[in-house]
Amino acid sequence: MQFQDYLAAIIFGAIIGIVARVILPGRQSIGIILTTLIGMGAAVAGTWAADRWELSSKYHFTAVGHTYDWLVVGVQVGIAVVGVGLAAAITRVFRSDDHHHHSRYDYDR
């Protein structure tokens, strides 16, 4: 993999984050910016993992002049699903923890 592959992975990652959010069951309590950042990180991590373990398939598709391997995209989406799920779970824990310690009549916040 070359530098432009990682750059394409970052750009494609925004889409991957959103796809992961759609695949993940239930409502996620994280915003679109965090979802996109997780997708970008997952795309880079998936590209790195595919390069490291020499993952590739004979199935490819082309988008915006760049060819993608379906297996690599699957790894990227899988990492993104885990990342979005973890971020949503962590956010849920902090929000529910915050909810139990403050009443709605607490005006100091």
Side-chain angles (χ1 to χ4, degrees), residues 51-99:
D51 187 36
R52 176 92 171 148
W53 294 306
E54 299 176 3
L55 300 175
S56 65
S57 72
K58 62 181 181 176
Y59 303 104
H60 298 89
F61 67 96
T62 303
V64 193
H66 190 78
T67 302
Y68 296 95
D69 185 320
W70 278 109
L71 180 59
V72 175
V73 172
V75 169
Q76 293 170 334
V77 170
I79 292 171
V81 167
V82 170
V84 168
L86 285 173
I90 290 168
T91 303
R92 196 174 310 117
V93 165
F94 283 112
R95 284 196 178 156
S96 71
D97 189 39
D98 185 47
H99 176 72

Short mmCIF file of all heavy atoms in Angstrom, two decimals, residues 51-99:
data_model
loop_
_atom_site.label_atom_id
_atom_site.label_comp_id
_atom_site.label_asym_id
_atom_site.label_seq_id
_atom_site.Cartn_x
_atom_site.Cartn_y
_atom_site.Cartn_z
N ASP A 51 -2.74 -4.68 4.67
CA ASP A 51 -1.37 -4.64 4.17
C ASP A 51 -0.47 -5.54 5.01
O ASP A 51 0.32 -6.33 4.49
CB ASP A 51 -0.86 -3.19 4.19
CG ASP A 51 0.49 -3.04 3.54
OD1 ASP A 51 0.77 -3.75 2.55
OD2 ASP A 51 1.28 -2.20 4.02
N ARG A 52 -0.62 -5.45 6.31
CA ARG A 52 0.22 -6.21 7.25
C ARG A 52 0.03 -7.72 7.07
O ARG A 52 0.99 -8.48 7.10
CB ARG A 52 -0.16 -5.79 8.67
CG ARG A 52 0.51 -6.51 9.77
CD ARG A 52 1.75 -5.81 10.18
NE ARG A 52 2.25 -6.44 11.39
CZ ARG A 52 3.51 -6.52 11.67
NH1 ARG A 52 4.38 -5.96 10.88
NH2 ARG A 52 3.91 -7.11 12.76
N TRP A 53 -1.23 -8.16 6.93
CA TRP A 53 -1.53 -9.58 6.81
C TRP A 53 -1.75 -10.03 5.37
O TRP A 53 -2.25 -11.12 5.13
CB TRP A 53 -2.72 -9.94 7.69
CG TRP A 53 -2.40 -9.78 9.14
CD1 TRP A 53 -1.36 -10.33 9.82
CD2 TRP A 53 -3.11 -8.98 10.08
NE1 TRP A 53 -1.38 -9.93 11.13
CE2 TRP A 53 -2.44 -9.09 11.32
CE3 TRP A 53 -4.23 -8.16 10.02
CZ2 TRP A 53 -2.87 -8.44 12.47
CZ3 TRP A 53 -4.65 -7.51 11.15
CH2 TRP A 53 -3.97 -7.65 12.36
N GLU A 54 -1.41 -9.14 4.44
CA GLU A 54 -1.51 -9.42 3.01
C GLU A 54 -2.88 -9.96 2.61
O GLU A 54 -3.01 -10.95 1.90
CB GLU A 54 -0.39 -10.38 2.59
CG GLU A 54 0.99 -9.81 2.83
CD GLU A 54 2.12 -10.78 2.51
OE1 GLU A 54 1.85 -11.91 2.04
OE2 GLU A 54 3.27 -10.41 2.73
N LEU A 55 -3.92 -9.28 3.10
CA LEU A 55 -5.30 -9.66 2.76
C LEU A 55 -5.67 -9.04 1.41
O LEU A 55 -5.46 -7.86 1.18
CB LEU A 55 -6.27 -9.15 3.82
CG LEU A 55 -6.07 -9.65 5.25
CD1 LEU A 55 -7.06 -8.96 6.18
CD2 LEU A 55 -6.24 -11.15 5.31
N SER A 56 -6.23 -9.85 0.56
CA SER A 56 -6.75 -9.34 -0.71
C SER A 56 -7.68 -10.40 -1.29
O SER A 56 -7.64 -11.56 -0.91
CB SER A 56 -5.63 -9.01 -1.68
OG SER A 56 -4.94 -10.18 -2.05
N SER A 57 -8.53 -9.93 -2.17
CA SER A 57 -9.44 -10.85 -2.84
C SER A 57 -9.43 -10.53 -4.33
O SER A 57 -8.82 -9.55 -4.76
CB SER A 57 -10.86 -10.70 -2.28
OG SER A 57 -11.43 -9.49 -2.70
N LYS A 58 -10.12 -11.33 -5.08
CA LYS A 58 -10.21 -11.07 -6.52
C LYS A 58 -11.41 -10.17 -6.85
O LYS A 58 -11.64 -9.87 -8.00
CB LYS A 58 -10.27 -12.38 -7.29
CG LYS A 58 -11.47 -13.23 -6.99
CD LYS A 58 -11.43 -14.52 -7.79
CE LYS A 58 -12.67 -15.35 -7.47
NZ LYS A 58 -12.73 -16.56 -8.27
N TYR A 59 -12.13 -9.73 -5.81
CA TYR A 59 -13.31 -8.90 -6.02
C TYR A 59 -13.00 -7.44 -5.70
O TYR A 59 -12.61 -7.12 -4.57
CB TYR A 59 -14.46 -9.39 -5.15
CG TYR A 59 -14.79 -10.84 -5.42
CD1 TYR A 59 -14.41 -11.83 -4.53
CD2 TYR A 59 -15.46 -11.21 -6.58
CE1 TYR A 59 -14.68 -13.16 -4.79
CE2 TYR A 59 -15.74 -12.54 -6.85
CZ TYR A 59 -15.35 -13.51 -5.95
OH TYR A 59 -15.63 -14.82 -6.22
N HIS A 60 -13.15 -6.59 -6.68
CA HIS A 60 -12.81 -5.18 -6.54
C HIS A 60 -13.92 -4.31 -7.12
O HIS A 60 -14.74 -4.78 -7.90
CB HIS A 60 -11.50 -4.86 -7.28
CG HIS A 60 -10.33 -5.61 -6.76
ND1 HIS A 60 -9.98 -6.85 -7.23
CD2 HIS A 60 -9.43 -5.31 -5.80
CE1 HIS A 60 -8.91 -7.29 -6.59
NE2 HIS A 60 -8.56 -6.37 -5.70
N PHE A 61 -13.92 -3.05 -6.71
CA PHE A 61 -14.80 -2.07 -7.32
C PHE A 61 -14.04 -0.76 -7.41
O PHE A 61 -13.07 -0.53 -6.69
CB PHE A 61 -16.12 -1.90 -6.54
CG PHE A 61 -15.96 -1.28 -5.18
CD1 PHE A 61 -16.17 0.08 -4.99
CD2 PHE A 61 -15.64 -2.07 -4.08
CE1 PHE A 61 -16.03 0.64 -3.73
CE2 PHE A 61 -15.50 -1.51 -2.82
CZ PHE A 61 -15.70 -0.15 -2.64
N THR A 62 -14.46 0.09 -8.33
CA THR A 62 -13.79 1.37 -8.55
C THR A 62 -14.74 2.50 -8.20
O THR A 62 -15.91 2.49 -8.61
CB THR A 62 -13.33 1.50 -10.01
OG1 THR A 62 -12.47 0.40 -10.31
CG2 THR A 62 -12.58 2.80 -10.25
N ALA A 63 -14.24 3.45 -7.43
CA ALA A 63 -15.01 4.65 -7.08
C ALA A 63 -14.06 5.84 -7.11
O ALA A 63 -12.97 5.78 -6.54
CB ALA A 63 -15.63 4.49 -5.69
N VAL A 64 -14.46 6.86 -7.80
CA VAL A 64 -13.69 8.10 -7.92
C VAL A 64 -12.25 7.80 -8.36
O VAL A 64 -11.29 8.31 -7.80
CB VAL A 64 -13.73 8.92 -6.61
CG1 VAL A 64 -13.21 10.32 -6.84
CG2 VAL A 64 -15.12 8.97 -6.02
N GLY A 65 -12.11 6.94 -9.32
CA GLY A 65 -10.81 6.65 -9.89
C GLY A 65 -9.89 5.80 -9.03
O GLY A 65 -8.72 5.64 -9.35
N HIS A 66 -10.38 5.26 -7.93
CA HIS A 66 -9.56 4.42 -7.07
C HIS A 66 -10.22 3.04 -6.96
O HIS A 66 -11.43 2.95 -6.79
CB HIS A 66 -9.41 5.05 -5.68
CG HIS A 66 -8.39 4.37 -4.83
ND1 HIS A 66 -7.05 4.57 -4.98
CD2 HIS A 66 -8.53 3.46 -3.84
CE1 HIS A 66 -6.39 3.83 -4.10
NE2 HIS A 66 -7.27 3.15 -3.39
N THR A 67 -9.43 2.01 -7.03
CA THR A 67 -9.94 0.65 -6.95
C THR A 67 -9.85 0.15 -5.51
O THR A 67 -8.82 0.29 -4.86
CB THR A 67 -9.14 -0.29 -7.88
OG1 THR A 67 -9.24 0.21 -9.21
CG2 THR A 67 -9.69 -1.70 -7.82
N TYR A 68 -10.95 -0.43 -5.03
CA TYR A 68 -11.04 -0.94 -3.66
C TYR A 68 -11.25 -2.45 -3.71
O TYR A 68 -11.98 -2.96 -4.55
CB TYR A 68 -12.20 -0.30 -2.90
CG TYR A 68 -12.03 1.19 -2.72
CD1 TYR A 68 -12.61 2.08 -3.61
CD2 TYR A 68 -11.31 1.70 -1.65
CE1 TYR A 68 -12.46 3.45 -3.44
CE2 TYR A 68 -11.15 3.06 -1.48
CZ TYR A 68 -11.73 3.93 -2.38
OH TYR A 68 -11.58 5.28 -2.22
N ASP A 69 -10.66 -3.12 -2.76
CA ASP A 69 -10.82 -4.56 -2.60
C ASP A 69 -11.96 -4.78 -1.60
O ASP A 69 -11.94 -4.22 -0.50
CB ASP A 69 -9.51 -5.15 -2.07
CG ASP A 69 -9.52 -6.67 -1.98
OD1 ASP A 69 -10.56 -7.24 -1.57
OD2 ASP A 69 -8.49 -7.27 -2.30
N TRP A 70 -12.92 -5.61 -1.97
CA TRP A 70 -14.06 -5.85 -1.08
C TRP A 70 -13.65 -6.42 0.27
O TRP A 70 -14.25 -6.10 1.29
CB TRP A 70 -15.08 -6.76 -1.76
CG TRP A 70 -15.99 -6.03 -2.70
CD1 TRP A 70 -15.98 -6.11 -4.06
CD2 TRP A 70 -17.02 -5.10 -2.36
NE1 TRP A 70 -16.94 -5.27 -4.58
CE2 TRP A 70 -17.60 -4.65 -3.55
CE3 TRP A 70 -17.51 -4.61 -1.15
CZ2 TRP A 70 -18.65 -3.73 -3.59
CZ3 TRP A 70 -18.55 -3.68 -1.18
CH2 TRP A 70 -19.11 -3.26 -2.39
N LEU A 71 -12.64 -7.27 0.29
CA LEU A 71 -12.18 -7.85 1.55
C LEU A 71 -11.61 -6.77 2.48
O LEU A 71 -11.92 -6.73 3.67
CB LEU A 71 -11.13 -8.93 1.30
CG LEU A 71 -10.56 -9.63 2.54
CD1 LEU A 71 -11.67 -10.32 3.33
CD2 LEU A 71 -9.49 -10.63 2.13
N VAL A 72 -10.83 -5.87 1.92
CA VAL A 72 -10.26 -4.77 2.71
C VAL A 72 -11.38 -3.87 3.23
O VAL A 72 -11.39 -3.47 4.40
CB VAL A 72 -9.23 -3.97 1.89
CG1 VAL A 72 -8.73 -2.76 2.68
CG2 VAL A 72 -8.06 -4.85 1.48
N VAL A 73 -12.34 -3.57 2.37
CA VAL A 73 -13.48 -2.74 2.80
C VAL A 73 -14.26 -3.45 3.91
O VAL A 73 -14.68 -2.82 4.88
CB VAL A 73 -14.41 -2.40 1.60
CG1 VAL A 73 -15.68 -1.72 2.07
CG2 VAL A 73 -13.67 -1.51 0.60
N GLY A 74 -14.41 -4.76 3.81
CA GLY A 74 -15.08 -5.51 4.87
C GLY A 74 -14.35 -5.41 6.20
O GLY A 74 -14.98 -5.23 7.25
N VAL A 75 -13.03 -5.49 6.16
CA VAL A 75 -12.24 -5.34 7.39
C VAL A 75 -12.42 -3.93 7.93
O VAL A 75 -12.60 -3.73 9.14
CB VAL A 75 -10.74 -5.64 7.11
CG1 VAL A 75 -9.86 -5.24 8.29
CG2 VAL A 75 -10.54 -7.10 6.76
N GLN A 76 -12.40 -2.93 7.07
CA GLN A 76 -12.57 -1.54 7.49
C GLN A 76 -13.93 -1.32 8.14
O GLN A 76 -14.03 -0.71 9.21
CB GLN A 76 -12.40 -0.60 6.29
CG GLN A 76 -11.00 -0.57 5.75
CD GLN A 76 -10.89 0.18 4.43
OE1 GLN A 76 -11.85 0.28 3.67
NE2 GLN A 76 -9.71 0.69 4.14
N VAL A 77 -14.97 -1.83 7.52
CA VAL A 77 -16.32 -1.67 8.07
C VAL A 77 -16.43 -2.42 9.40
O VAL A 77 -17.03 -1.92 10.36
CB VAL A 77 -17.40 -2.14 7.06
CG1 VAL A 77 -18.77 -2.20 7.70
CG2 VAL A 77 -17.42 -1.20 5.85
N GLY A 78 -15.85 -3.61 9.48
CA GLY A 78 -15.88 -4.36 10.74
C GLY A 78 -15.22 -3.59 11.88
O GLY A 78 -15.76 -3.50 12.99
N ILE A 79 -14.06 -3.01 11.62
CA ILE A 79 -13.38 -2.21 12.63
C ILE A 79 -14.22 -0.99 12.99
O ILE A 79 -14.33 -0.62 14.17
CB ILE A 79 -11.98 -1.80 12.15
CG1 ILE A 79 -11.07 -3.03 12.04
CG2 ILE A 79 -11.36 -0.75 13.08
CD1 ILE A 79 -9.73 -2.76 11.36
N ALA A 80 -14.85 -0.37 12.00
CA ALA A 80 -15.70 0.79 12.25
C ALA A 80 -16.91 0.43 13.10
O ALA A 80 -17.29 1.19 14.00
CB ALA A 80 -16.14 1.43 10.94
N VAL A 81 -17.53 -0.71 12.84
CA VAL A 81 -18.68 -1.15 13.63
C VAL A 81 -18.28 -1.31 15.10
O VAL A 81 -18.97 -0.84 16.01
CB VAL A 81 -19.29 -2.46 13.07
CG1 VAL A 81 -20.27 -3.09 14.06
CG2 VAL A 81 -19.98 -2.20 11.74
N VAL A 82 -17.14 -1.95 15.32
CA VAL A 82 -16.65 -2.12 16.70
C VAL A 82 -16.36 -0.75 17.32
O VAL A 82 -16.74 -0.49 18.46
CB VAL A 82 -15.40 -3.03 16.73
CG1 VAL A 82 -14.75 -3.02 18.09
CG2 VAL A 82 -15.76 -4.45 16.32
N GLY A 83 -15.71 0.13 16.57
CA GLY A 83 -15.39 1.46 17.09
C GLY A 83 -16.60 2.29 17.42
O GLY A 83 -16.68 2.91 18.49
N VAL A 84 -17.58 2.30 16.53
CA VAL A 84 -18.82 3.05 16.78
C VAL A 84 -19.56 2.45 17.98
O VAL A 84 -20.07 3.17 18.84
CB VAL A 84 -19.72 3.08 15.52
CG1 VAL A 84 -21.11 3.60 15.84
CG2 VAL A 84 -19.08 3.94 14.43
N GLY A 85 -19.60 1.13 18.06
CA GLY A 85 -20.25 0.47 19.19
C GLY A 85 -19.59 0.81 20.51
O GLY A 85 -20.27 1.10 21.50
N LEU A 86 -18.26 0.77 20.54
CA LEU A 86 -17.54 1.12 21.77
C LEU A 86 -17.76 2.58 22.15
O LEU A 86 -17.99 2.90 23.32
CB LEU A 86 -16.05 0.85 21.59
CG LEU A 86 -15.61 -0.60 21.65
CD1 LEU A 86 -14.14 -0.74 21.29
CD2 LEU A 86 -15.88 -1.19 23.01
N ALA A 87 -17.68 3.47 21.18
CA ALA A 87 -17.89 4.89 21.46
C ALA A 87 -19.30 5.14 21.98
O ALA A 87 -19.50 5.91 22.93
CB ALA A 87 -17.63 5.73 20.21
N ALA A 88 -20.29 4.50 21.38
CA ALA A 88 -21.67 4.66 21.83
C ALA A 88 -21.85 4.11 23.24
O ALA A 88 -22.52 4.72 24.07
CB ALA A 88 -22.63 3.97 20.86
N ALA A 89 -21.23 2.96 23.53
CA ALA A 89 -21.34 2.37 24.87
C ALA A 89 -20.68 3.25 25.92
O ALA A 89 -21.23 3.47 27.00
CB ALA A 89 -20.72 0.98 24.88
N ILE A 90 -19.50 3.76 25.60
CA ILE A 90 -18.80 4.64 26.54
C ILE A 90 -19.59 5.91 26.77
O ILE A 90 -19.75 6.36 27.92
CB ILE A 90 -17.38 4.95 26.02
CG1 ILE A 90 -16.51 3.68 26.12
CG2 ILE A 90 -16.74 6.09 26.81
CD1 ILE A 90 -15.19 3.78 25.37
N THR A 91 -20.13 6.48 25.71
CA THR A 91 -20.94 7.69 25.83
C THR A 91 -22.18 7.42 26.67
O THR A 91 -22.55 8.23 27.52
CB THR A 91 -21.36 8.21 24.43
OG1 THR A 91 -20.18 8.44 23.67
CG2 THR A 91 -22.16 9.47 24.52
N ARG A 92 -22.80 6.27 26.45
CA ARG A 92 -24.01 5.90 27.21
C ARG A 92 -23.70 5.78 28.70
O ARG A 92 -24.48 6.21 29.54
CB ARG A 92 -24.57 4.59 26.65
CG ARG A 92 -25.99 4.31 27.06
CD ARG A 92 -26.56 3.07 26.38
NE ARG A 92 -26.38 3.07 24.94
CZ ARG A 92 -25.66 2.17 24.27
NH1 ARG A 92 -25.05 1.19 24.91
NH2 ARG A 92 -25.54 2.23 22.96
N VAL A 93 -22.54 5.19 29.03
CA VAL A 93 -22.15 5.03 30.43
C VAL A 93 -21.98 6.40 31.08
O VAL A 93 -22.49 6.64 32.18
CB VAL A 93 -20.85 4.20 30.54
CG1 VAL A 93 -20.23 4.33 31.93
CG2 VAL A 93 -21.12 2.75 30.22
N PHE A 94 -21.29 7.30 30.41
CA PHE A 94 -21.06 8.62 30.99
C PHE A 94 -22.35 9.43 31.08
O PHE A 94 -22.56 10.15 32.03
CB PHE A 94 -20.01 9.39 30.21
CG PHE A 94 -18.62 8.94 30.52
CD1 PHE A 94 -17.87 8.29 29.55
CD2 PHE A 94 -18.06 9.13 31.77
CE1 PHE A 94 -16.59 7.86 29.84
CE2 PHE A 94 -16.78 8.70 32.06
CZ PHE A 94 -16.04 8.06 31.09
N ARG A 95 -23.21 9.29 30.09
CA ARG A 95 -24.48 10.02 30.13
C ARG A 95 -25.39 9.48 31.21
O ARG A 95 -26.04 10.22 31.91
CB ARG A 95 -25.17 9.96 28.78
CG ARG A 95 -24.52 10.90 27.79
CD ARG A 95 -25.41 11.14 26.63
NE ARG A 95 -24.75 12.08 25.74
CZ ARG A 95 -25.00 12.18 24.47
NH1 ARG A 95 -25.90 11.40 23.91
NH2 ARG A 95 -24.38 13.07 23.72
N SER A 96 -25.46 8.16 31.37
CA SER A 96 -26.34 7.60 32.41
C SER A 96 -25.75 7.89 33.78
O SER A 96 -26.48 8.13 34.73
CB SER A 96 -26.55 6.10 32.21
OG SER A 96 -25.39 5.38 32.50
N ASP A 97 -24.42 7.89 33.90
CA ASP A 97 -23.77 8.23 35.16
C ASP A 97 -24.07 9.68 35.51
O ASP A 97 -24.40 10.00 36.64
CB ASP A 97 -22.25 8.01 35.04
CG ASP A 97 -21.55 8.13 36.37
OD1 ASP A 97 -22.11 7.66 37.37
OD2 ASP A 97 -20.44 8.69 36.39
N ASP A 98 -24.01 10.56 34.53
CA ASP A 98 -24.30 11.98 34.73
C ASP A 98 -25.77 12.17 35.11
O ASP A 98 -26.10 12.96 35.97
CB ASP A 98 -23.99 12.76 33.45
CG ASP A 98 -24.16 14.25 33.63
OD1 ASP A 98 -23.65 14.79 34.63
OD2 ASP A 98 -24.78 14.88 32.75
N HIS A 99 -26.65 11.37 34.52
CA HIS A 99 -28.08 11.48 34.79
C HIS A 99 -28.42 11.09 36.23
O HIS A 99 -29.28 11.69 36.86
CB HIS A 99 -28.84 10.58 33.81
CG HIS A 99 -30.33 10.54 34.06
ND1 HIS A 99 -31.14 11.61 33.77
CD2 HIS A 99 -31.12 9.58 34.58
CE1 HIS A 99 -32.38 11.30 34.12
NE2 HIS A 99 -32.40 10.06 34.59
#
